[in-house]
Amino acid sequence: MTAISFNRWSKLAEEHGVDLVVCVAAAMRRGITESNLAAGFRISGLGQLVEAGIQADRLVVFGD
């Protein structure tokens, strides 16, 4: 993703309260840490994904 894409995601999160969660395993494979994560994003694990799936009426996933 480009810096412009990250800026758009960050703006979406800020304006609409969207929780931008990055998979901890995917982040580790790509060398992403809390210190170099784009604004508005946070790193979390599968437990949060499972909990979100239980509480939500739908789940949208992008990527592989």
Side-chain angles (χ1 to χ4, degrees):
M1 289 177 83
T2 66
I4 293 171
S5 296
F6 286 123
N7 291 339
R8 288 180 177 173
W9 281 109
S10 297
K11 184 177 178 182
L12 177 76
E14 183 180 322
E15 290 179 1
H16 300 283
V18 176
D19 192 14
L20 301 176
V21 182
V22 176
C23 171
V24 65
M28 288 176 63
R29 282 194 306 268
R30 292 164 176 83
I32 298 171
T33 64
E34 293 287 344
S35 63
N36 63 3
L37 200 58
F41 288 82
R42 64 188 183 86
I43 296 175
S44 189
L46 287 176
Q48 183 184 359
L49 176 63
V50 170
E51 185 66 27
I54 291 169
Q55 294 180 0
D57 61 343
R58 64 185 66 130
L59 177 67
V60 178
V61 180
F62 299 94
D64 29 34

